[in-house]
Amino acid sequence: MKILIAEDDRLSRTFMAKFMADYGTCDVAVDGMEALDLYMDAVKKKDYYDLLCLDIMMPKVDGLKVLKVIRAVEQQHGLPHLAIIMMTAIAEVEYVDQAFELGCDAYASKPVDTEKVLEVMQNLGLDVAKPQAATE
């Protein structure tokens, strides 16, 4: 599985990258603009991401705008649906409804509960079996 993690907080980004590395290859973005650059680069190469863990509150371009752009690009170009899990702090709950309206697939509250993230990934039909090397 190919995973993109867009998170401006260094500790959260490092935690998510380490956790998700058991389930696939991870790329990280420190802001919304970098996330869009990585996404568009993958589209050009036809090497699509399977999952995007997207923080709502980020500098340059926020997560809601990233979500909106990605869904528009998918629709305009007939691209595969990218599973997007929005990451939100408790104080940002008012953005969750807007994220669903824009097409996110799920959301996870911060601090991230890894068991719940795995459950969401399973519900989205993503392969959450750890690679053989990680389970031995």
Side-chain angles (χ1 to χ4, degrees):
M1 179 169 24
K2 187 173 175 186
I3 304 164
L4 176 56
I5 299 164
E7 170 64 64
D8 64 315
D9 179 73
R10 184 181 56 82
L11 291 174
S12 296
R13 187 173 56 247
T14 302
F15 172 80
M16 285 301 296
K18 186 174 181 178
F19 166 65
M20 289 295 198
D22 283 344
Y23 304 97
T25 303
C26 296
D27 291 331
V28 295
V30 298
D31 59 49
M33 185 60 71
E34 188 176 7
L36 285 171
D37 287 345
L38 288 167
Y39 172 77
M40 294 306 293
D41 189 50
V43 167
K44 287 177 189 169
K45 294 177 181 176
K46 296 186 191 271
D47 185 22
Y48 306 109
Y49 286 102
D50 300 296
L51 174 64
L52 169 56
C53 296
L54 181 60
D55 185 19
I56 289 180
M57 302 302 284
M58 289 188 296
K60 296 187 181 176
V61 178
D62 69 38
L64 294 173
K65 289 179 185 159
V66 171
L67 171 62
K68 188 175 184 177
V69 168
I70 288 174
R71 291 300 183 231
V73 169
E74 286 175 342
Q75 188 173 28
Q76 290 170 356
H77 299 283
L79 299 176
H81 178 84
L82 171 60
I84 298 178
I85 301 174
M86 302 300 290
M87 303 291 184
T88 180
I90 301 290
E92 300 164 1
V93 171
E94 66 270 14
Y95 295 105
V96 173
D97 287 341
Q98 189 177 359
F100 278 109
E101 287 172 18
L102 293 171
C104 84
D105 297 290
Y107 83 97
S109 299
K110 292 180 187 177
V112 173
D113 179 334
T114 55
E115 292 300 316
K116 286 186 180 178
V117 171
L118 284 175
E119 184 179 319
V120 166
M121 290 168 61
Q122 277 183 316
N123 291 342
L124 293 174
L126 298 169
D127 182 9
V128 294
K130 288 187 180 184
Q132 196 65 19
T135 57
E136 292 179 352

